[in-house]
């Protein structure tokens, strides 16, 4: 190469390397961060000591736990992902919450709803009125 | 050289070079296709072509830009420099397949002009994250097109070497555009550390090579000037033993860029700049009695700087003498093609 | 983006004129500014066509200059 041309190359690369490195760093800087979802059911009530009754389906194990002094709760252990996208829970026709997609979840049941056995639980998909699951508890 | 133009200047080495290049390209495309089919079994042929040609063209451009400084740092890489032109044209063609398939797939299904759509379909020109990165690729491809289209010797001669060289130095701009085309395009979508690593590694290698080569050259030039001892217009350059047989020592004296060749027990000096494309003649060697430019194989006789007939290119020549085994060069040039006696090396 | 559409039409017009000039140049004009073009084959001439289309203004200037100095 001619010395003059060589000098041109040198200057181009000295300036170019700074610009390219800055640009590279900026492009990495603006990379979209992976979306982190906060879990809808982060706080899980501690389990009450006694299991009063258990119902099973292919997807779920449902325990009615509690004792007369502390209160009563429903415990859901999800064994397989639920077929329905949203699962609303109704205890004795009263809405008690929405079941999340995985793990173990517990919902408190107020004393007034425990007046007289047998009790029944319905799992409802609000988008489709079909596919209602029903469980009976008789402690 | 100055005989009538041919379509492609092929010779034995260039054919071999091109065959190796073709083989490596085919191997890359095959491997890439198999990997894509393994990782993305549902990939469409268009997407596969876009990905394969895009990655290949970027890797090839990266490699082409490494050749220059590599050859300057280590002369064993010089054969890669030779015929770099075919590598460049091939890179453009592969890049063009990538660009055309992209325009067909993403811009030609609407009712607006596809080229208009490249510029207007995404207008977040103020954002880095959502920048219309395809525009960057478009301009890079345009530069590669101009370079490939003017790569024939006809253009070198008729656009003038200066104009031509400036046009071809735009390749650095094209590379810069492509780095951002990749970083703001595919990388923002994939976010894979592996791909970021690849681009970063390539960038780092290229910058280091260029800065290293520039530094080494600058130092070498300075040392030469410091060492050259002056006497009656002659400068002491090196000992005759320092020049390998059929090779040259390049010196820069009083603004003259000179290549001092040793061959058949003799030493001759000619101007170091090839008349063809300003290639560094001193990085070449003597083949069949002729100095052969490493860039495109232009040839000159060492004792008079003339191309062997029927060619007409000529180089300036210089006086050389050998005193006590040391080579002395007078940097006052003789007119192009002037015969000067070679200095004999005493055994 | 209205200006872009106009600019683009300008580019298309430039390239259309370039195609006409380029075809004439590679088959006729080139030989007049460079004698090495004599006897060039069809593939060689077509190889020069893309750049002749893209750079036709530069070539036209060169050709006209050559004509003035030649005569």
């Amino acid at each position: 190469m001619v010395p003059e041309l060589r000098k041109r190359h040198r200057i181009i690369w000295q300036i170019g390397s700074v610009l390219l490195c800055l640009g590279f760093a900026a492009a990495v800087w603006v990379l979209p961060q992976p979306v982190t979802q906060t879990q809808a059911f982060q706080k899980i009530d501690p389990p009450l000591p006694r299991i009063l009754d258990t119902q099973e389906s292919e997807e779920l194990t449902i325990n009615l736990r509690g004792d007369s002094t502390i209160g009563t709760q429903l415990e859901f252990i999800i064994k397989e992902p639920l077929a329905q996208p949203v699962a609303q829970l109704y205890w004795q026709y009263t809405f008690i919450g929405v079941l999340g997609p995985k793990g173990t979840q517990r919902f408190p049941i107020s004393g007034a709803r425990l007046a007289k056995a047998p009790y029944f639980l319905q799992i409802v998909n609000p988008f489709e009125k079909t596919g209602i699951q029903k469980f009976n508890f008789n402690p | 050289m100055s005989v009538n133009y041919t379509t492609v200047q092929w010779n034995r080495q260039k054919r071999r070079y091109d065959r190796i290049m073709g083989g490596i390209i085919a191997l890359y495309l095959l491997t890439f296709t198999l990997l894509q089919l393994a990782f993305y079994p549902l990939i469409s042929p268009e997407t596969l072509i876009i990905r394969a040609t895009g990655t290949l063209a970027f890797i090839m451009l990266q490699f082409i830009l490494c050749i220059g400084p590599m050859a300057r740092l280590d002369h064993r890489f010089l054969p890669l420099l030779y015929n770099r032109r075919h590598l460049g044209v091939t890179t453009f063609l592969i890049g063009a397949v990538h660009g055309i398939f992209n325009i067909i797939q993403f811009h030609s299904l609407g009712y607006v002009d596809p080229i208009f759509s490249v510029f207007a379909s995404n207008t977040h020109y103020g954002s880095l994250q959502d920048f219309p990165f395809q525009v960057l690729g478009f301009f890079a491809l345009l530069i590669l097109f101009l370079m490939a289209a003017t790569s024939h010797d006809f253009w070198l001669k008729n656009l003038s070497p200066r104009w031509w060289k400036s046009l071809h130095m735009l390749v650095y701009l094209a590379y810069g555009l492509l780095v951002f085309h990749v970083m703001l395009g595919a990388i923002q979508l994939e976010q894979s550390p592996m791909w970021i690593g690849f681009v970063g590694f390539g960038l780092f290698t290229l910058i280091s090579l260029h800065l290293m080569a520039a530094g080494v050259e600058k130092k070498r030039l300075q040392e030469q000037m410091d060492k050259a001892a002056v006497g009656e217009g002659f400068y002491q350059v090196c000992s005759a033993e320092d020049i390998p047989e059929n090779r040259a020592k390049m010196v820069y004296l009083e603004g003259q860029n000179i290549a001092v060749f040793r061959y058949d027990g003799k030493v001759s000096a000619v101007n170091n700049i090839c008349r063809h494309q300003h290639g560094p003649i001193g990085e070449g060697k003597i083949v069949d009695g002729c100095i052969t430019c490493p860039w495109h194989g232009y040839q000159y006789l060492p004792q008079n700087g003339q191309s062997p007939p029927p060619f007409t290119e000529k180089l300036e020549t210089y006086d050389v003498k050998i005193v006590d085994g040391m080579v002395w060069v007078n940097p006052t040039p003789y007119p192009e093609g002037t015969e000067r006696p070679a200095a004999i090396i005493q055994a | 983006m209205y200006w872009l559409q106009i600019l683009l039409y300008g580019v298309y017009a430039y390239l259309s004129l370039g195609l006409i000039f380029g075809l004439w140049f590679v088959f006729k004009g080139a030989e007049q500014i460079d004698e090495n073009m004599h006897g060039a084959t069809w593939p060689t001439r077509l190889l020069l066509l893309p750049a002749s289309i893209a750079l036709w203004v530069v070539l036209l200037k060169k050709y006209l200059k050559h004509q003035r100095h030649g005569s």
Side-chain angles (χ1 to χ4, degrees):
Chain A
M1 251 196 290
V2 197
E4 176 210 347
L5 195 60
R6 200 160 266 170
K7 194 174 164 195
R8 249 161 87 191
H9 273 84
R10 194 172 66 233
I11 294 169
I12 287 178
W13 276 100
Q14 277 164 353
I15 299 170
S17 53
V18 175
L19 293 179
L20 281 171
C21 289
L22 286 178
F24 183 83
V28 174
W29 183 260
V30 299
L31 277 179
Q33 296 301 310
V35 181
T36 46
Q37 283 184 326
T38 43
Q39 279 262 305
F41 302 92
Q42 274 180 330
K43 273 200 285 178
I44 300 176
D45 297 339
L48 296 180
R50 230 152 46 84
I51 295 179
L52 306 174
D53 191 10
T54 295
Q55 295 295 320
E56 292 268 356
S57 75
E58 271 182 29
E59 303 165 319
L60 291 166
T61 301
I62 308 170
N63 295 324
L64 181 67
R65 312 184 73 119
D67 65 43
S68 49
T69 52
I70 311 169
T72 311
Q73 72 185 175
L74 264 179
E75 180 183 62
F76 293 83
I77 299 163
I78 300 181
K79 298 185 285 190
E80 301 231 335
L82 299 180
Q84 56 199 57
V86 178
Q88 292 179 338
L89 305 174
Y90 289 87
W91 177 260
Q92 305 282 64
Y93 298 117
T94 306
F95 178 74
I96 56 168
V98 178
L99 197 57
K102 59 178 182 180
T104 300
Q105 294 147 52
R106 297 186 189 93
F107 299 86
I109 310 275
S110 70
R113 295 284 159 201
L114 295 160
K116 187 178 92 195
Y119 313 116
F120 59 93
L121 169 78
Q122 284 171 299
I123 302 179
V124 178
N125 174 2
F127 302 117
E128 287 177 54
K129 292 299 173 196
T130 56
I132 297 173
Q133 298 179 59
K134 201 168 172 185
F135 299 90
N136 289 308
F137 293 86
N138 204 351
Chain B
M1 304 201 204
S2 296
V3 281
N4 290 354
Y5 295 120
T6 52
T7 314
V8 183
Q9 279 181 356
W10 263 311
N11 56 29
R12 211 163 55 87
Q13 288 100 319
K14 287 192 186 183
R15 280 186 200 283
R16 193 165 154 253
Y17 191 113
D18 288 353
R19 270 199 292 271
I20 294 173
M21 173 178 79
I24 293 175
I25 289 174
L27 190 68
Y28 176 86
L29 291 176
L30 184 72
T31 314
F32 189 88
T33 304
L34 291 177
L35 282 175
Q36 288 281 308
L37 288 176
F39 285 105
Y40 311 94
L42 299 176
I43 193 170
S44 72
E46 296 90 341
T47 306
L48 181 59
I49 289 170
I50 286 171
R51 288 184 183 175
T53 51
T55 51
L56 177 58
F58 189 63
I59 292 170
M60 284 178 74
L61 184 65
Q62 179 95 44
F63 177 70
I64 288 172
L65 293 179
C66 285
I67 293 177
M70 271 182 352
R72 270 186 281 152
L73 288 169
D74 189 332
H75 291 277
R76 278 173 298 179
F77 289 111
L78 276 172
L80 288 174
L81 204 66
Y82 187 62
N83 212 21
R84 194 164 50 161
R85 186 190 293 202
H86 291 190
L87 204 52
V89 174
T90 311
T91 302
F92 159 69
L93 291 174
I94 292 169
V97 172
H98 173 79
I100 289 168
F101 267 87
N102 262 298
I103 289 179
I104 292 174
Q105 177 137 330
F106 298 113
H107 296 287
S108 62
L109 303 173
Y111 57 87
V112 293
D113 181 338
I115 305 293
F116 180 80
S117 165
V118 169
F119 288 91
S121 60
N122 173 1
T123 53
H124 295 105
Y125 285 91
S127 153
L128 200 56
Q129 200 175 59
D130 301 320
F131 194 85
F133 65 95
Q134 290 178 331
V135 172
L136 302 172
F138 181 89
F139 282 116
L141 192 59
L142 195 66
I143 292 174
L144 294 186
F145 161 75
L146 281 176
M147 290 178 62
T150 58
S151 66
H152 195 273
D153 274 350
F154 174 86
W155 298 110
L156 181 70
K157 183 176 169 196
N158 289 294
L159 293 175
S160 84
R162 197 185 174 79
W163 213 93
W164 192 89
K165 203 73 211 170
S166 304
L167 179 72
H168 282 236
M169 272 176 103
L170 286 178
V171 70
Y172 296 139
L173 177 62
Y175 175 72
L177 289 171
L178 285 180
V179 167
F180 290 111
H181 172 70
V182 173
M183 287 306 293
L184 302 179
I187 296 286
Q188 299 291 324
L189 293 175
E190 295 279 335
Q191 299 153 30
S192 138
M194 184 180 77
W195 294 119
I196 298 173
F198 276 155
V199 179
F201 173 74
L203 190 63
F204 177 75
T205 311
L206 196 56
I207 289 174
S208 321
L209 277 174
H210 273 271
L211 293 183
M212 250 155 65
V216 167
E217 290 290 343
K218 202 179 170 187
K219 212 173 130 202
R220 192 185 295 167
L221 216 63
Q222 193 55 50
E223 276 174 5
Q224 242 167 44
M225 284 307 290
D226 295 345
K227 266 203 279 189
V230 193
E232 300 159 20
F234 278 84
Y235 287 80
Q236 184 182 312
V237 172
C238 60
S239 100
E241 298 299 314
D242 284 351
I243 313 176
E245 181 70 10
N246 289 330
R247 294 276 188 178
K249 181 104 185 164
M250 290 172 283
V251 289
Y252 190 64
L253 301 170
E254 295 184 0
Q256 291 290 315
N257 198 357
I258 304 167
V260 188
F261 275 92
R262 176 181 159 183
Y263 58 102
D264 305 334
K266 292 180 285 186
V267 172
S268 286
V270 294
N271 191 273
N272 190 24
I273 302 162
C274 181
R275 289 304 108 106
H276 172 226
Q277 240 180 65
H278 293 185
I281 283 176
E283 288 176 9
K285 55 182 174 183
I286 294 189
V287 178
D288 301 330
C290 285
I291 297 170
T292 306
C293 176
W295 281 13
H296 306 98
Y298 273 51
Q299 292 192 311
Y300 306 90
L301 291 164
Q303 64 276 15
N304 59 17
Q306 294 178 7
S307 291
F311 308 114
T312 55
E313 279 77 14
K314 289 176 193 147
L315 301 170
E316 289 98 352
T317 51
Y318 303 87
D319 273 337
V320 188
K321 62 180 183 183
I322 296 179
V323 182
D324 299 333
M326 299 305 287
V327 179
W328 294 68
V329 177
N330 186 334
T332 313
Y334 285 91
E336 296 171 351
T338 309
E339 175 109 21
R340 296 309 304 159
I344 311 288
I345 304 172
Q346 308 291 334
Chain C
M1 287 280 138
Y2 186 63
W3 57 270
L4 178 66
Q5 190 69 71
I6 292 173
L7 188 75
L8 218 50
Y9 285 137
V11 172
Y12 292 153
Y14 173 86
L15 292 178
S16 307
L17 289 172
L19 181 64
I20 298 166
F21 174 87
L23 283 170
W24 168 82
F25 181 78
V26 296
F27 287 104
K28 278 250 181 278
E31 307 191 11
Q32 294 176 40
I33 63 167
D34 186 342
E35 71 271 20
N36 291 342
M37 276 301 285
H38 286 299
T41 56
W42 265 68
T44 307
R45 290 170 190 276
L46 288 179
L47 202 63
L48 303 182
L49 187 60
S52 305
I53 296 172
L55 303 172
W56 71 271
V57 173
V58 181
L59 293 174
L60 182 62
K61 257 168 77 181
K62 202 163 178 72
Y63 176 80
L64 292 176
K65 199 171 148 194
H66 194 269
Q67 290 297 90
R68 262 203 308 278
H69 288 279
S71 56

